[in-house]
Amino acid sequence: PGKKGRIDFEQVSFSYDGEGGQPVLKQISFTCLPGETVGIIGSTGAGKSSLVGLIPRFYDVTEGTIRVDGMDVRDIEPKRLREKMAIVPQKTMLFTGTVLENIRWGKAEATHEEVEQAARMAQAHEFISATPDGYETRVGQGGVNFSGGQKQRISIARALVKKPEILILDDSTSAVDVATEGKIKDALRAYAAGLTCILIAQRITSVMDADKIIVLDNGEVVGIGTHDELMTSCQVYQEIFQS
Ligand code: GTP
């Protein structure tokens, strides 16, 4: 018993065209323990989004195994699997409704209090409250045009309201300033049940304090460790750090 949200990648390879196709991920192995934050960094096209898309079974592995809490994900119905996790995609997808409706999209039966709690963690409560209509503010098309970073924070609130065991952030704080991003991460760390978090990022500062960072290059893991470990052992990581 105990904490949930462990993820194991065991020699995972993946091609969008199935066996014999061009591999996008090659022999990926790593473990993310319950409550850990694992950062994933690497150049564009390295395979980061493809890697996390395998966890909720948007696609299935071509070779190898992914386990969530010890179970091969192929033995779990996608619907059940996705109930455990929340994914904030690279492109925010807010619809033309109120802020409340947009956040509740993560969990239709969420109370107003739960919505507000999620928004506070995502550092969205303040700017939402500062609008005349608050949570009833309409998003887009005749409503308030929130900034890119604000939309990302609403998307994170939408994910958090679901109270997931696993949270996957696919470059979802790219438009959020570093200080606010830090506050979001602090809130996630304080999250009650201990949230397993997979964090894709372009900037080193976003993943620096992760328990473990995976450096992907051209579909392969070229480094895995803490920031300090990678700074001394991984050339690709050093190059990203210097860029
Ligand atoms: P950025 O999001 O740009 O930072 O890249 P990434 O590291 O997330 O890489 P991603 O997983 O998006 O892409 C890895 C490789 O898979 C690239 O060569 C893409 O062109 C390819 N790819 C991504 N999505 C698809 C898809 O839906 N179909 C096919 N056939 N290839 C894809």
Side-chain angles (χ1 to χ4, degrees):
K3 287 187 174 176
K4 293 252 177 119
R6 178 183 172 127
I7 303 167
D8 289 285
F9 271 61
E10 297 168 2
Q11 298 289 316
V12 169
S13 296
F14 174 66
S15 161
Y16 283 98
D17 311 313
E19 245 170 282
Q22 183 69 27
V24 165
L25 296 168
K26 301 163 203 160
Q27 307 272 310
I28 309 284
S29 296
F30 70 90
T31 293
C32 179
L33 295 174
E36 269 190 347
T37 294
V38 169
I40 303 179
I41 201 157
S43 54
T44 157
K48 305 180 294 294
S49 298
S50 305
L51 187 156
V52 297
L54 297 173
I55 304 170
R57 291 188 65 192
F58 292 151
Y59 298 95
D60 275 330
V61 301
T62 311
E63 266 176 59
T65 305
I66 297 171
R67 296 182 195 280
V68 170
D69 292 322
M71 265 183 88
D72 186 333
V73 292
R74 284 167 296 192
D75 295 333
I76 311 174
E77 236 188 285
K79 188 171 169 280
R80 290 234 4 246
L81 188 64
R82 289 169 201 166
E83 274 163 10
K84 292 167 168 292
M85 49 187 83
I87 300 137
V88 184
Q90 218 169 66
K91 267 210 169 126
T92 52
M93 288 184 284
L94 302 184
F95 51 82
T96 52
T98 65
V99 170
L100 184 72
E101 288 164 346
N102 266 281
I103 296 177
R104 245 187 209 150
W105 195 71
K107 184 185 170 197
E109 66 278 17
T111 64
H112 201 291
E113 200 185 324
E114 286 174 316
V115 167
E116 194 178 306
Q117 190 189 25
R120 279 184 195 279
M121 284 196 279
Q123 306 302 309
H125 175 72
E126 248 178 76
F127 72 77
I128 294 168
S129 309
T131 60
D133 296 326
Y135 284 84
E136 295 304 323
T137 301
R138 292 192 75 76
V139 179
Q141 287 197 353
V144 168
N145 284 311
F146 291 110
S147 72
Q150 288 174 329
K151 285 186 198 155
Q152 286 185 330
R153 287 186 265 167
I154 294 173
S155 304
I156 295 171
R158 172 191 279 175
L160 290 174
V161 83
K162 202 175 159 185
K163 301 199 172 106
E165 290 164 16
I166 298 170
L167 175 69
I168 299 172
L169 299 175
D170 188 351
D171 214 7
S172 348
T173 51
S174 55
V176 176
D177 64 275
V178 174
T180 305
E181 184 188 44
K183 287 189 196 165
I184 297 172
K185 286 197 284 182
D186 289 343
L188 294 181
R189 253 191 296 275
Y191 185 86
L195 182 65
T196 298
C197 189
I198 308 249
L199 196 81
I200 296 182
Q202 300 285 345
R203 345 178 255 241
I204 291 257
T205 50
S206 305
V207 293
M208 254 174 108
D209 50 1
D211 296 296
K212 197 179 290 171
I213 303 160
I214 294 165
V215 187
L216 267 192
D217 188 32
N218 201 13
E220 289 180 77
V221 174
V222 295
I224 183 159
T226 62
H227 171 75
D228 290 342
E229 285 162 1
L230 292 168
M231 281 305 283
T232 55
S233 68
C234 180
Q235 201 186 334
V236 176
Y237 190 78
Q238 291 160 16
E239 283 163 11
I240 299 170
F241 183 76
Q242 276 148 20
S243 66

